[in-house]
Amino acid sequence: MHRVPLTVPVGGLDTLRVTRIAYIDTFSGISGDMFLGALIDAGLPIEGLTEGLRALRLGGFKLSAEKVMRGAFQATRLHVLIDEAGRGHEGPTGHSHQHQHGNEHSHSHGHGHDHAHSRAHDHGHDHKHGAAAAEAKGAGETGRRGLKEIVKILEASELPASVRTQAAAVFERIGKAEARVHGIPIEEVHFHEVGAIDSIIDITGVCLGLHLLGVDEVWCSAPTVGSGFVHGAHGQIPLPAPATLEILKDIPIRQRESGFELTTPTGAALTASLGRGFGPMPPLTVRRIGYGAGDDRPGPVPNVLRILLGERSAAGGECDRVVALETNVDDMSPQWIGYLVDRLFEAGALDVTVAPSGMKKSRPAHEIRVLAPLGADGPLAEILFRETTTFGIRRFEVDRLILERSFETAETPWGLIRIKVGRRAGKVLSASPEYEDVQKAAKAAGVPFKEVHRRAMEEFHRRE
């Protein structure tokens, strides 16, 4: 398996650190095969992808891609062609022909939640009883697998370790959502079409495709979900479907009037598992653009998924995007601030600063600023409202230039002390003992904090 370079960097190769980014623009929703189709449209060779997926040893299958029009957009539609005679452990069929599985994103528009959200069964666990169970058994239950069986297939393959781990995480996220929605243990969840060859290919193919394209980070717009109802075996199911909604908990989403299911559980699980952040596109130089097609359907918004592949460069360091929350308070006791800061860090704040300031009517005040990971600022804003007297919070996204970080240990007479090390272009620019380690050692030994700190730094520099 050979990686596909996006570009050849020009100049400054010894100082520039290039981060390859995929930004997933889900303005019309997302499904597994739309994701994979968009990667192929952006330059992922379908031959190399097929070769890599053979490592799953799933039996006979073929990937086919065609150019189609969706509104004013030309996009790539992916098909997974399965040769029943070559399905291997998929079970005997007694005949040989191919099944073509189209876009998971659209079949759910005419089927309900119980038939799942893609290709008739995008996500679902399948508990059959009575005659239905007998019918399934008679058919060989070729499309049903448990989570453990799928993970075993991935672990037994020769795919890169990162691809195996990511694909397993996507399936686990779907399984947990199904277990939660239907009130059963995850061990009892059996995947229907998601456990079949074509859906394993979709999920694993996306993870492998990102690897082959050399993508370091995946960023996503807020997933677009549909509205209305779809009909299932147990009646009308509201959109977004329960499993999709469960998967997207704690992720910002946006809803559009549609009458269709726009984001499937597979698409939701891929973005939730792979996405580093959700919101506007981070700063990057766009190199390639891909469009993955869903079914052709009526409406003003074309049924396509857009992917932007690009690069972000930082001189010897790294860059990331975070959310900043700011508020000023002039009528709050300073005694509350220490408790507030502790609560914010416990809730996942990256940094909290409190600075004195002046406000209207010459009142002394405090400016409180919190940095949070993208998509994780909701609980922190709630704490600010609950624990301060503020009536409003400023929220904005900022980019950070950060050093490459790692941890090393220094041996002192009072035990091991962790040292946080910051590097730029491979050169150490900053090092600091972890406060908690120094505090614990100083208290236990009854020695000054500054002495433990000094010895830890001396040991670190001696090794450097």
Side-chain angles (χ1 to χ4, degrees), residues 139 244 336 405:
T244 299
W336 304 355
R405 305 178 188 189

Side-chain angles (χ1 to χ4, degrees), residues 14-17 313-318 402-404 423-426:
D14 55 337
T15 59
L16 283 181
R17 177 185 176 88
S313 298
E318 296 182 351
I402 57 178
L403 295 177
E404 302 168 23
R423 291 181 170 84
R424 190 177 181 87

Side-chain angles (χ1 to χ4, degrees), residues 306-324:
R306 179 165 61 181
I307 290 182
L308 286 71
L309 299 178
E311 298 167 345
R312 179 182 61 211
S313 298
E318 296 182 351
C319 178
D320 68 355
R321 174 166 280 204
V322 297
V323 175

